Amino acid sequence: MTSGHLDALEVRAPEERQAQQLEALRRLLRQVQTQSDYGREVLAGRDGAALQSVGDLARWPVLRKADIAERQSLRRPLGGLVLDGGRPAKIFQSPGPIYEPEGRAPDPWRLARALVAAGVTAEDCVHNSFSYHLTPAGSMLESAALSLGCTVLPAGVGQTDLQLQATRDVGCTAYVGTPSFLRILLERAGSAPLTLRKALVSGEAFPASLRDWVRTHGIEAYQCYATADCGLIAYETSAREGLVIDEGVLVEIVRPGSGDPVPVGDVGEVVVTRLDTHYPLIRYATGDLSALMPGQSPCGRTNQRLRGWLGRADQSAKVRGLFVHAAHVQQVRERVPEITGRMRWVVEGELANDRFCVMVETEAPAGFLGDRVAEAVREVTKLRAEVQFVPSLPNDGRVIEDRRAPQ
């Protein structure tokens, strides 16, 4: 561990990172294509060695949660997504059900990097209030803390009073769990002080107001963005300016419903490639919205940053009895390549009287572009839509907006 960092990877020159990650990506793609059923069946015929940059990965297919669920239903338990002969240490279950393997490395989910950024060291006793049952969060944080040399209190969920007693009795100095449960613990503790001084929270929004309230109780809390499929994706640092992307993943921001990257600063869906052989997901679409931030973090870490969790990308609405999805929006784009700006499908009106409007961001639309867009929408969705051209649309990643009152 270097001063304030888990390792020197966090401060390497960007061009060095890009070269090393490209080499790792080429090697991983070769392994996936030759040593996994998914690679042999879905990625066959593609030349990973020909990639000239990490950005070239954008031409490869996106893997979605529904794809994993389907593969796993046909080929238990892991759908041919692990390498041949791979034997996970543990297998977890998420809603779907989706099964996620845990590797045998000391920190297979790479959460130690986020703990170090939150100030956790080997001297800490960590109160782990994430669930240990079926879902991987508890194991994620425990393995990370143990890899740093910490002592762990495996508290899990529920039994607040017993957790309070335990954290007092053993003198826990760091907390990992959801921010809402940290608040519950502090409120239940009342005037009797706890020894907690550090926290890494995840799984929920962590607004600045709650961070400041936690600080009044003597705890400096940071957040991280992790999923049951990908492990750590990005983490907060002392700079408090966005979330620095983990060194063990590649992150793309793509237009919802597609695999096409959007410019830095634009909101889109988070797509992650895990650069490890434990569970080598290639271009996994998380369903979460975020945006890349320009520049580097003032904390000295040189990797790219995310703005944080900005909502869900798997958008849909029911219009006149038919569902429209984000993938439909992308299909219309492909049929009308003149659409280069943002596009938003808006549903308004009262029950049984839907108004369906397709808004296209453009300065000067061509004469018959509106007719072409309307025709493409009808071909893709079987629905008639009004087309409006507007000079700008919000940069929030939303491509389908349902403005009807909830029923």
Side-chain angles (χ1 to χ4, degrees):
M1 186 187 304
T2 59
S3 178
H5 306 105
L6 179 66
D7 53 40
L9 295 177
E10 297 176 13
V11 294
R12 54 185 163 168
E15 56 272 15
E16 179 184 2
R17 176 181 293 106
Q18 292 168 14
Q20 292 173 348
Q21 288 185 335
L22 177 59
E23 180 181 355
L25 176 62
R26 289 169 173 166
R27 184 168 57 250
L28 181 66
L29 290 174
R30 183 168 60 252
Q31 290 176 287
V32 170
Q33 288 178 295
T34 59
Q35 299 176 37
S36 76
D37 290 340
Y38 175 75
R40 288 186 286 261
E41 295 165 2
V42 178
L43 305 182
R46 297 176 180 272
D47 187 2
L51 296 180
Q52 297 301 305
S53 71
V54 170
D56 290 344
L57 191 61
R59 296 195 291 267
W60 289 55
V62 168
L63 176 68
R64 299 193 176 276
K65 189 176 288 288
D67 300 328
I68 295 179
E70 181 180 5
R71 292 190 65 87
Q72 290 185 353
S73 70
L74 298 173
R75 196 169 309 171
R76 297 293 188 192
L78 299 171
L81 288 159
V82 296
L83 300 187
D84 296 340
R87 296 188 65 251
K90 302 175 185 177
I91 296 178
F92 295 96
Q93 183 195 72
S94 293
I98 299 286
Y99 295 96
E100 297 101 0
E102 178 177 283
R104 296 179 178 271
D107 179 25
W109 306 93
R110 309 174 314 282
L111 265 296
R113 196 175 300 283
L115 286 172
V116 170
V120 176
T121 72
E123 305 303 315
D124 285 303
C125 180
V126 178
H127 180 130
N128 185 2
S129 72
F130 279 119
S131 174
Y132 277 78
H133 302 288
L134 285 182
T135 57
S139 188
M140 283 180 171
L141 272 300
E142 178 173 290
S143 59
L146 293 177
S147 75
L148 295 176
C150 302
T151 299
V152 176
L153 173 67
V157 297
Q159 299 182 300
T160 305
D161 290 334
L162 284 177
Q163 290 207 34
L164 271 176
Q165 179 183 345
T167 199
R168 285 195 177 108
D169 289 348
V170 304
C172 288
T173 53
Y175 166 92
V176 295
T178 63
S180 61
F181 190 68
L182 176 58
R183 178 164 199 149
I184 290 171
L185 283 177
L186 294 174
E187 290 175 338
R188 188 74 63 88
S191 59
L194 299 178
T195 51
L196 296 174
R197 294 294 176 265
K198 310 165 185 177
L200 178 67
V201 299
S202 191
E204 298 171 348
F206 186 46
S209 58
L210 181 53
R211 179 196 67 201
D212 294 342
W213 182 87
V214 168
R215 186 178 287 147
T216 66
H217 291 73
I219 301 172
E220 197 65 33
Y222 294 83
Q223 60 183 316
C224 71
Y225 170 34
T227 72
D229 315 276
C230 302
L232 182 64
I233 297 174
Y235 58 99
E236 192 174 23
T237 73
S238 58
R240 303 285 190 183
E241 293 187 14
L243 305 180
V244 177
I245 293 174
D246 177 51
E247 299 295 330
V249 296
L250 301 175
V251 173
E252 304 167 78
I253 304 296
V254 307
R255 185 177 295 111
S258 79
D260 300 336
V262 299
V264 172
D266 278 15
V267 177
E269 183 175 11
V270 179
V271 170
V272 177
T273 296
R274 286 183 56 155
L275 293 174
D276 66 72
T277 56
H278 301 305
Y279 192 34
L281 298 180
I282 308 298
R283 299 203 80 203
Y284 173 71
T286 64
D288 295 326
L289 292 174
S290 192
L292 290 171
M293 298 174 62
Q296 295 179 1
S297 172
C299 73
R301 292 171 176 84
T302 55
N303 209 348
Q304 291 180 293
R305 294 171 293 162
L306 294 177
R307 279 178 52 192
W309 186 82
L310 301 176
R312 292 292 295 170
D314 44 359
Q315 304 159 33
S316 64
K318 197 171 187 179
V319 185
R320 301 170 201 148
L322 297 175
F323 278 102
V324 293
H325 303 274
H328 291 147
V329 181
Q330 178 62 20
Q331 291 171 29
V332 170
R333 281 185 171 278
E334 293 169 356
R335 290 170 184 252
V336 189
E338 290 86 351
I339 301 174
T340 57
R342 300 185 181 97
M343 181 165 51
R344 176 172 298 200
W345 295 10
V346 178
V347 189
E348 298 178 296
E350 303 298 330
L351 183 65
N353 189 26
D354 298 331
R355 180 191 174 206
F356 182 27
C357 178
V358 172
M359 305 180 75
V360 180
E361 184 181 76
T362 182
E363 290 292 341
F368 296 100
L369 185 57
D371 293 338
R372 291 185 58 203
V373 172
E375 180 181 359
V377 171
R378 183 165 175 76
E379 290 172 351
V380 169
T381 68
K382 313 305 180 188
L383 293 164
R384 295 186 183 277
E386 173 189 346
V387 179
Q388 290 185 5
F389 295 100
V390 296
S392 65
L393 286 168
N395 177 24
D396 56 9
R398 182 163 293 282
V399 294
I400 296 177
E401 182 179 0
D402 192 342
R403 297 178 180 174
R404 296 168 297 190
Q407 300 299 318

